[in-house]
């Protein structure tokens, strides 16, 4: 099997091969996904032991292992129905996936199931969080089927659902039940601005948001500045904890660095 064909089987390989372009994009993703989720989980859980660390890592791996199936379906079957598709695979790779599609799906689902068993053994104390992860995986599975079957503005809420499930659910397995501040924080930290950016793309023809897509790096800095200011005000009123401030400050610094890098010629993700 060629190196490129292995991306259909090796977890995370498909994402790195088809969705990340360049070192800066990879560094940006690491900062806003695995590191951000790890930082948020560490802040909200005390004590944070090795089992918790492994559980969160495996939860992220489970989410992406399933998420990649949606990417594969989009890059092979969905693009065939589009007039001007974004081609990420060669014709040979498309034929390979379509030929072995169900074997790849079964392999991935078995792998995710094995990860879930390991997560349950590593973090047995948080049943509610485990069910939250299961709900997120279910939302990804159903959401991608609908997302890849439709086009137009209907895709926006589906996009929000997919990104929200991908970003918010891995940390739930260790965050104590009832910590709604955590879930709200994570939605504000990434899925919400990401949805606004997506809505500003030309394909959706939402003119008030078009400038957001055109000036994405600047929008991110402004958004996180306002979010951090609002969080500081709520913290001052004792309505949220300092943990939310720290997480939003992390995102502000990451996006500020991205803005500076874009001005220096680097290309963000």
């Amino acid at each position: 099997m060629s190196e490129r064909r292995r991306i259909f089987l090796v977890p995370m390989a498909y994402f790195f091969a088809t969705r990340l372009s360049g070192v800066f994009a990879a560094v940006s993703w690491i900062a806003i996904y695995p590191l951000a989720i790890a930082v948020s989980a560490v802040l909200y859980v005390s004590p944070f032991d090795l089992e918790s660390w492994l559980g969160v890592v495996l939860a992220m791996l489970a989410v992406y292992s399933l998420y990649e199936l949606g990417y594969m379906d989009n890059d092979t079957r969905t693009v065939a129905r589009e007039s001007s598709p974004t081609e990420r695979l060669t014709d040979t790779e498309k034929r390979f996936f379509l030929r072995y599609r169900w074997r790849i799906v079964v392999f991935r689902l078995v792998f995710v199931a094995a990860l879930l068993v390991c997560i349950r053994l590593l973090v047995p104390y948080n049943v509610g969080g485990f069910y939250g992860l299961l709900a997120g995986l279910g939302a990804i599975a159903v959401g991608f089927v609908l997302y890849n079957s439709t086009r137009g503005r209907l895709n926006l809420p589906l996009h929000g659902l997919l990104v929200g499930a991908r970003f918010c659910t891995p940390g739930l397995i260790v965050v104590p039940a009832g910590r709604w501040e955590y879930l709200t924080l994570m939605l504000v930290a990434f899925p919400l601005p990401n949805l606004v950016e997506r809505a500003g793309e030309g394909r959706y023809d939402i003119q008030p948001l078009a400038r957001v897509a055109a000036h994405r790096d600047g929008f991110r800095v402004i958004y996180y500045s306002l979010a951090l200011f609002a969080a500081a005000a709520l913290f001052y009123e004792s309505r949220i904890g300092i943990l939310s401030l720290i997480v939003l400050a992390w995102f502000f610094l990451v996006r500020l660095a991205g803005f500076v890098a874009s001005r220096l010629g680097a290309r963000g993700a």
Side-chain angles (χ1 to χ4, degrees), residues 124-148:
Y125 56 82
N126 195 356
V127 178
F130 182 76
Y131 286 145
L133 175 62
L134 291 180
L137 293 173
I140 290 171
V142 175
F144 253 123
V145 171
L146 298 175
Y147 184 88
N148 289 338

Side-chain angles (χ1 to χ4, degrees), residues 32-50:
I32 65 174
Y33 190 73
L35 282 183
I37 291 175
V39 167
S40 66
V42 168
L43 290 173
Y44 273 83
V45 179
S46 181
F48 203 82
D49 51 26
L50 178 60

Side-chain angles (χ1 to χ4, degrees), residues 133-173:
L133 175 62
L134 291 180
L137 293 173
I140 290 171
V142 175
F144 253 123
V145 171
L146 298 175
Y147 184 88
N148 289 338
S149 302
T150 61
R151 281 298 177 263
R153 293 183 182 178
L154 181 60
N155 276 50
L156 287 174
L158 292 172
H159 174 82
L161 174 67
L162 289 169
V163 175
R166 173 166 58 97
F167 192 81
C168 299
T169 55
L172 289 179
I173 65 164

Side-chain angles (χ1 to χ4, degrees), residues 180-194:
W180 292 105
E181 180 185 330
Y182 174 81
L183 187 58
T184 303
L185 167 67
M186 299 306 280
L187 287 170
V188 171
F190 186 78
L192 179 58
N194 181 264

